[in-house]
Amino acid sequence: MIVQMGTVTLTLLLTALAVGAVLPFIPSRGRGRSGRNARTRVILIGLGVGIIASFILTLVNTLFPKAVNRQSVALWTLPLAIGLAIAVMVLQGLMSRKDRPSPRLESTLRLIIGAYLALVVFRSAPQAMAQAVMIFPAGSELFSTQMVLIFVGYVLGWVVAALLGALAFKLLSLSRRRWVMNWILVLLALTHLMLIVRILQAQRVISMSNEAFEVLSWLINHEAVFPIAAMSALLVLALLVWNEGRLMPLEGANPAQERLKKARARLWKLIAGAAAGGYLAGALLITLGVLIGSAEVELSEPESYSVHNESAVINVADISDGHLHRFAYTTSSGVEVRFIVIQKAGSSFGVGLDACEICGASGYYEKDGKIICKLCEVAMNIATIGFKGGCNPIPIEYEVSNGTLSVPLSVLEANADIFA
């Protein structure tokens, strides 16, 4: 259960913090109930559109895996998300410099924030929704104790991320410090920029130096640093709010006013204390919790094969059990290139590198009859292994004849840079 909680929370947390941080800065339209209703509409429409679009994309990717190129979707939406984040920070900065911002500026900021809410939710929610595939492995009893615990952990991951985002909203509603919001939006924009670079580098549109690639790889493998950095800023804000609550003047013109001020001071300190505890617990969950889960995953050792006519030759009988089989070839330059084979239906096989265009050479493993990417924990549709796109293994050339499956060594040599 803790593994599912940690994985889902890590996927959603930074987005939830960004949403919570930006909500207090949505300008109302006038005063009173009508002004509050305008803000509420922005929030409901923005989050609603993001959730609905995420569900539709997840459904399409599950039922029709090749219908949508997820890399193309990412390359269209990620730059837009970064641009909207910059627009939110700039427009909010302009708002803060004016005693009476113009209605046009306020309307523009509401529109920009609404679009930003929809887009950032659309960028993170499908990944968390896709993790639900892991909840119901083939052959498992639906209402067994293990399955119930896994499902509870998955749901709690969403709840934890939402609660920590709500605490960010509460803190910034009490103490409207723009630097905290800006810091969180910048961190989320950096993760979007990293994904753009990963995709462009995988597509060989851009090239990176070894030093830059090592930095990028470290950040990918330690993605928790971004939500932890965001929560660190919120912890500082929680301390400031607690101190402000402690220093509030408690004197009043009458006993009723004194009770009201004391209640307000207690509320500020209560929210600050809850936020501090929540963010410390969240940091432990997305570090130790995820570490517990990832420590259990080890790639199987490569299996043996023979070399004949400049090809890696594998007996079909050895790979016709419907399970994942991993092989490795050491190139002339000393690079170990891994490739996987799995029987799909009948005499059909899925053959590809033990790497994908998005997550690189992290590899795949088999669990409960599913083939799973080690880095992003997404379960592959076995029927699509051997086809290009998304997190599928990068397909390679092969041939089945006379009871053997052969992969040209030249193909493995040509892909050495992926594993270098």
Side-chain angles (χ1 to χ4, degrees):
M1 183 174 74
I2 192 69
V3 174
Q4 284 72 31
M5 282 183 63
T7 303
V8 175
T9 303
L10 180 58
T11 302
L12 295 170
L13 182 53
L14 187 55
T15 296
L17 295 178
V19 170
V22 81
L23 293 186
F25 295 94
I26 301 176
S28 60
R29 183 182 298 166
R31 296 184 176 182
R33 180 175 296 179
S34 62
R36 293 193 297 270
N37 288 342
R39 297 179 63 184
T40 302
R41 282 194 297 271
V42 170
I43 297 170
L44 293 179
I45 293 174
L47 296 181
V49 169
I51 296 269
I52 293 171
S54 299
F55 179 77
I56 292 173
L57 180 63
T58 303
L59 192 63
V60 170
N61 284 336
T62 302
L63 299 178
F64 311 101
K66 296 194 295 179
V68 177
N69 188 318
R70 285 179 285 181
Q71 289 188 1
S72 297
V73 173
L75 289 177
W76 276 101
T77 55
L78 289 170
L80 184 56
I82 294 172
L84 288 174
I86 294 172
V88 170
M89 291 185 285
V90 171
L91 291 177
Q92 181 55 41
L94 293 175
M95 287 271 296
S96 65
R97 295 180 181 180
K98 298 183 178 182
D99 294 332
R100 292 184 179 180
S102 67
R104 178 177 296 180
L105 180 59
E106 291 181 338
S107 298
T108 302
L109 183 55
R110 280 194 295 269
L111 179 63
I112 294 295
I113 290 179
Y116 180 72
L117 294 176
L119 200 54
V120 296
V121 169
F122 178 72
R123 286 305 319 152
S124 65
Q127 185 179 351
M129 290 178 178
Q131 292 171 7
V133 177
M134 292 288 296
I135 294 178
F136 303 106
S140 297
E141 297 181 13
L142 187 60
F143 296 106
S144 65
T145 301
Q146 180 184 5
M147 293 305 302
V148 170
L149 289 175
I150 290 174
F151 177 77
V152 169
Y154 177 81
V155 173
L156 284 177
W158 283 81
V159 172
V160 169
L163 286 176
L164 294 180
L167 287 171
F169 168 71
K170 285 291 187 181
L171 281 176
L172 283 162
S173 296
L174 296 177
S175 182
R176 295 168 59 86
R177 286 176 164 86
R178 285 190 304 111
W179 68 267
V180 177
M181 179 197 73
N182 292 343
W183 173 244
I184 296 174
L185 296 192
V186 167
L187 288 171
L188 183 56
L190 283 175
T191 66
H192 293 159
L193 182 60
M194 279 176 47
L195 184 52
I196 294 173
V197 172
R198 287 171 61 186
I199 294 173
L200 294 179
Q201 195 268 342
Q203 294 180 349
R204 302 183 182 180
V205 176
I206 62 174
S207 59
M208 302 176 63
S209 65
N210 291 335
E211 293 77 10
F213 185 77
E214 288 178 3
V215 171
L216 180 63
S217 298
W218 188 90
L219 290 172
I220 291 170
N221 293 323
H222 299 82
E223 58 182 322
V225 288
F226 293 98
I228 288 175
M231 289 189 293
S232 297
L234 289 165
L235 278 172
V236 172
L237 181 60
L239 293 174
L240 294 174
V241 169
W242 184 89
N243 191 56
E244 289 172 6
R246 185 178 64 87
L247 298 177
M248 280 183 182
L250 304 179
E251 298 79 11
N254 53 62
Q257 285 188 358
E258 289 185 1
R259 289 194 298 271
L260 184 62
K261 290 184 177 182
K262 289 179 180 179
R264 184 187 180 196
R266 285 195 299 269
L267 178 62
W268 279 51
K269 291 188 286 187
L270 177 63
I271 292 175
Y279 292 132
L280 289 173
L284 289 174
L285 179 62
I286 63 175
T287 51
L288 295 181
V290 172
L291 182 63
I292 292 172
S294 61
E296 298 175 354
V297 179
E298 292 184 4
L299 297 182
S300 60
E301 290 295 324
E303 301 175 25
S304 61
Y305 59 89
S306 60
V307 177
H308 183 67
N309 291 334
E310 295 298 314
S311 293
V313 180
I314 305 162
N315 290 326
V316 169
D318 296 335
I319 54 176
S320 297
D321 54 4
H323 292 291
L324 177 71
H325 296 269
R326 191 184 330 276
F327 303 91
Y329 166 74
T330 302
T331 67
S332 56
S333 59
V335 177
E336 184 183 72
V337 175
R338 304 189 311 272
F339 63 99
I340 58 175
V341 179
I342 185 169
Q343 184 186 33
K344 297 197 288 189
S347 59
S348 175
F349 291 89
V351 182
L353 298 176
D354 196 22
C356 79
E357 294 179 345
I358 297 177
C359 299
S362 56
Y364 300 85
Y365 64 94
E366 181 177 352
K367 182 178 180 181
D368 299 319
K370 299 182 184 298
I371 306 304
I372 302 160
C373 174
K374 183 179 179 181
L375 182 61
C376 68
E377 295 292 330
V378 170
M380 304 298 108
N381 183 339
I382 293 179
T384 67
I385 295 179
F387 295 98
K388 186 177 181 180
C391 207
N392 275 336
I394 299 172
I396 56 175
E397 177 187 343
Y398 72 98
E399 181 181 354
V400 177
S401 63
N402 299 324
T404 62
L405 184 150
S406 58
V407 176
L409 298 183
S410 59
V411 172
L412 302 177
E413 290 276 356
N415 287 284
D417 59 331
I418 296 175
F419 295 85

